[in-house]
Amino acid sequence: MAIGATKSTLFSPSCLLRAACSLVLDKRYFWTLASLVIVCDAVLTQLIIKVIPYTEIDWETYMVHIDLYLSGERDYSKITGPTGPLVYPAGHVYIHDILHYLTDSGKNVAAAQQIYAGLYVLSLLLTCAVYRNAGMPNWTLLLLPLSKRLHSIFVLRLFNDCWSVVFVQAAILACQTGVDGTGILLYSLALSVKMSALLYLPGLLVVLFKRHGMVGTARYMVVLAGSQILLARPFLGQNTVSYIQNAFNFSRVFLQKWTVNWRFLDEEVFLSPSWAMGLLLGHITVLTAFGLCKWCKSDGGTLAVIRRGFLRPFQSPALSSVSPDYIATVLMTSNLIGILFARSLHYQFYSWYCQQLPLLCQRTKYPLLLQLFILAGIEYAWNVFPSTTLSSGILLTAHVLLLLGIWFGFPEGKAVLSHSKRKV
C-alpha cells in the first residue's frame, strides 16, 4: 500500500507540474532539459529527412567543383559548375573533398543528409553549451528546435553555410572557456569555409583586446592570417589573384529575386553601387557606435580602454574580467549588425544567426511577449518564398527592434550588470 501510494503521489498532476517547472526554470536541470531537447530534435530531424523530399540547389555544383579539384586543378578561375564558379575559401574545398569521398562522389544524397543531420545535432549541442555559459534561462532551449527553415538548410538543402556556422559556434564556446588560441583556430576554419564569418571580426577584436591587450591581439591576428594562408597555399601558389577575388569577393552583386531582405526596394536601387556604399557606411557607423558607446562601458569607456592598452601593451586593459556572457553577446551582436546591413540575404543565410536569436532577445529589456513576436516575425520572413514587400519589411523591422533593444538593454551581457551591482 505504501509503495502504491508513493507511485500515485509521484505521478500526480501537482508533482508532474513541479517537475516540469524545475526543468524549465531551475538551472540545476539545464543539461537535463538540453538533453531532452537534443534527443527530440534529432528524432524530428530524421522524420523531416524521411517525409520531406530533398531539393537540389548547390550540392551538385559543390561536387563538380571537387571533381575538378581532384583532377588536379588549383586555379580558382577554372573551377566552375552548374550554378557558377567556386566562390568559397579553401576550407570549403577540403570539407567537400571528404564529403565527396563519403557520398560516392556526391551521388549518395541520403548519406550526405545523415552527415548533415549529425552536423545539425552538433550545432544544437554547441548552442546549448554557449547558452549555459552565458547564463541563459532553461526555457529558452525550447525555442531552438522550432525553426522550419533551419532544418531545411541543413538536411534538405545541404548548404556549406552549416559548416561555417558550427565552427563559429565552437569558436565562441572555446573563447567562453578561456582557450582563445583554440577559438582563433576554429574561427579561422569558419572563415576558410565562408567569408560571412568576417561579420564576427569586429566583436572578436574587442574581446581579444580587452582580454589580452594590444600585443596579444596582434599575435592572434597573425595566427588567423597565417592559418588562412596555410590553408589556401595550394591555390595561392597557382593563381593568387584568382583565389582572393573568388574566395573573398566583396563586390559580388546578387539578383534581387533571391533576396529575403530589401524586397520593397526598386530593383535599380537594390543593384546600385550607391545603395551598396550606403549600407557599408551604415554598417561601419553602427559598429563604431557600439564599440565607442556600449562594448567597453563597464571598463570606463572605449577611449580609456584604448589608452590603457597602449600604455600597457602586454597586459589586459579591462577593469573587469571578460565573462562568457560578454563574449557571446558582443560576438553575436557584431554578427547581427552585419546581417542587418547585408546587401542581400539568401535563404541559407538564416543559419548564420537563427540559433543566436533567443539569446539576443534576452539581451533586450523587452517584455517576453514582444521578444516572442520578434522571433516569430523573423522566422516568418525567412519562410516566405519568394520574399514579398511585407515579409522583407517585417524582417527589417524585427532586426531594427532587436538591435535597438540590445542597445538600450544589455549590450555587454547581463553578467556585467550583475557584477556592477555587486561592486556597488
Side-chain angles (χ1 to χ4, degrees), residues 306-352:
I306 293 174
R307 184 168 60 251
R308 289 194 297 269
F310 275 92
L311 291 174
R312 301 176 298 179
F314 292 93
Q315 299 178 33
S316 167
L319 298 178
S320 57
S321 62
V322 180
S323 71
D325 184 14
Y326 179 91
I327 291 168
T329 302
V330 169
L331 290 178
M332 293 179 187
T333 303
S334 178
N335 183 46
L336 176 65
I337 294 168
I339 289 169
L340 171 61
F341 289 98
R343 188 175 184 180
S344 179
L345 293 173
H346 289 191
Y347 285 90
Q348 64 268 35
F349 297 177
Y350 189 32
S351 62
W352 295 0

Side-chain angles (χ1 to χ4, degrees), residues 3 6 11 23 32 70 77 84 120 132 143 162 170 175 212 235 254 265 273 293 298 328 357 364 384 392 395 422:
I3 293 176
T6 302
F11 293 102
L23 269 180
T32 303
L70 292 175
S77 65
Y120 173 78
R132 174 62 172 171
L143 300 172
C162 305
C175 290
H212 300 284
F235 307 102
F254 295 102
L265 292 176
C293 304
S298 62
L357 289 170
T364 72
V384 175
S392 62
L395 184 65
R422 283 197 299 271

Side-chain angles (χ1 to χ4, degrees), residues 57-268:
I57 298 180
D58 283 338
W59 174 257
E60 181 184 347
T61 296
Y62 296 161
M63 294 300 106
V64 171
H65 290 164
I66 299 305
D67 285 334
L68 292 169
Y69 168 74
L70 292 175
S71 71
E73 185 59 70
R74 297 295 182 269
D75 186 340
Y76 258 51
S77 65
K78 297 178 182 178
I79 301 178
T80 189
T83 61
L86 177 57
V87 291
Y88 309 113
H92 162 90
V93 176
Y94 302 141
I95 288 171
H96 286 82
D97 183 10
I98 296 170
L99 293 174
H100 186 276
Y101 172 77
L102 294 175
T103 61
D104 188 22
S105 303
K107 299 182 186 71
N108 192 344
V109 173
Q113 286 183 288
Q114 291 303 320
I115 293 170
Y116 273 77
L119 188 67
Y120 173 78
V121 172
L122 177 59
S123 77
L124 190 60
L125 174 62
L126 290 169
T127 300
C128 289
V130 169
Y131 274 31
R132 174 62 172 171
N133 288 339
M136 287 286 284
N138 298 17
W139 62 265
T140 56
L141 299 175
L142 300 174
L143 300 172
L144 295 177
L146 300 183
S147 175
K148 173 186 173 182
R149 177 61 66 186
L150 187 64
H151 285 92
S152 173
I153 291 167
F154 271 83
V155 299
L156 300 180
R157 303 294 189 272
L158 310 181
F159 284 118
N160 68 335
D161 302 73
C162 305
W163 297 93
S164 181
V165 166
V166 168
F167 283 132
V168 164
Q169 291 170 327
I172 294 173
L173 181 60
C175 290
Q176 283 184 318
T177 52
V179 283
D180 292 349
T182 301
I184 287 296
L185 291 177
L186 287 166
Y187 174 71
S188 183
L189 287 174
L191 188 56
S192 78
V193 176
K194 201 157 188 177
M195 71 173 186
S196 57
L198 284 171
L199 297 181
Y200 292 92
L201 187 58
L204 182 62
L205 287 170
V206 172
V207 169
L208 292 175
F209 189 81
K210 286 185 65 173
R211 182 176 267 177
H212 300 284
M214 186 170 60
V215 173
T217 301
R219 187 164 54 242
Y220 282 121
M221 289 303 100
V222 169
V223 171
L224 177 61
S227 59
Q228 287 298 306
I229 293 170
L230 185 63
L231 287 167
R233 187 177 175 185
F235 307 102
L236 292 172
Q238 184 67 32
N239 189 333
T240 302
V241 174
S242 173
Y243 177 79
I244 295 173
Q245 286 181 343
N246 283 272
F248 297 96
N249 186 350
F250 294 96
S251 61
R252 287 179 68 194
V253 179
F254 295 102
L255 297 178
Q256 191 181 27
K257 68 177 183 177
W258 300 119
T259 194
V260 180
N261 62 341
W262 312 124
R263 172 65 68 179
F264 47 82
L265 292 176
D266 180 79
E267 186 172 12
E268 185 178 347

